[in-house]
Amino acid sequence: MENCIFCKIINKEIPGKVVYEDDICLAFLDLSQATYGHTLVIPKKHYDNILTVDDETLAHLFKIVKKLSKQIMEKLGADGLNVLTNTNEVAGQTVHHFHIHILPRYNKNELKINFIDHSQDVDLDELLNKIK
Ligand code: AMP
Ligand code: ZN
């Protein structure tokens, strides 16, 4: 897609530090390196986010996420990792080409994903009825 920075990396119009590539997907180092080894896995075909990517591509991407997660952890000596995909601005998505973040973890303080407990304000049965 025109003006998509990740499509430009796929088309080699701008450089990317490519970790892995096959017919369906590309994995490359995230510029920000939020944690050491921060990697993005993206489909070669443009989809905006997880809501629109086709199921077969999504399944393949997660298979590659698993493979690369193991590889990155082993090679970099990470103790764990976070796998994350942001969907729409409200959730922090800035690049609207579907991507999965692999964030290797070395300690508890280097990255803040802050789950605040709102359980006091939520009726779980009402919530379940809404979702199902
Ligand atoms: P998100 O906030 O989930 O949309 O993540 C977008 C990510 O893309 C951010 O972590 C950026 O650091 C990363 N990013 C943006 N441009 C580039 C680029 N040219 N090469 C590598 N990573 C990039
Ligand atoms: Zn794109």
Side-chain angles (χ1 to χ4, degrees):
M1 185 182 258
E2 224 181 313
N3 288 328
C4 170
I5 194 146
F6 288 175
C7 282
K8 285 183 178 156
I9 293 175
I10 289 159
N11 296 331
K12 303 196 170 15
E13 291 167 39
I14 62 168
K17 301 286 184 199
V18 174
V19 174
Y20 172 86
E21 180 170 12
D22 62 27
D23 289 347
I24 298 163
C25 74
L26 187 76
F28 55 98
L29 296 180
D30 190 298
L31 277 184
S32 71
Q33 289 299 295
T35 65
Y36 186 63
H38 183 182
T39 299
L40 299 174
V41 183
I42 69 173
K44 284 192 166 169
K45 197 171 160 201
H46 182 101
Y47 299 94
D48 287 350
N49 57 45
I50 195 170
L51 303 176
T52 52
V53 64
D54 81 88
D55 290 351
E56 217 175 300
T57 303
L58 183 64
H60 180 74
L61 252 65
F62 268 103
K63 207 169 123 182
I64 299 305
V65 165
K66 179 182 174 185
K67 166 189 148 69
L68 292 178
S69 292
K70 284 185 183 172
Q71 186 178 329
I72 291 167
M73 274 186 69
E74 274 173 30
K75 300 256 179 164
L76 300 182
D79 297 313
L81 57 92
N82 295 100
V83 171
L84 181 73
T85 182
N86 299 325
T87 305
N88 294 341
E89 281 91 350
V90 70
Q93 187 177 10
T94 58
V95 178
H96 295 273
H97 180 129
F98 176 52
H99 52 281
I100 303 167
H101 295 262
I102 297 174
L103 293 145
R105 297 299 300 269
Y106 308 88
N107 65 69
K108 287 188 173 174
N109 302 318
E110 69 207 323
L111 180 70
K112 286 270 169 272
I113 300 172
N114 203 1
F115 282 18
I116 299 163
D117 187 343
H118 288 115
S119 58
Q120 300 286 5
D121 309 325
V122 178
D123 178 330
L124 289 183
D125 290 323
E126 186 190 304
L127 173 62
L128 202 55
N129 277 331
K130 278 191 192 170
I131 293 173
K132 280 171 90 177

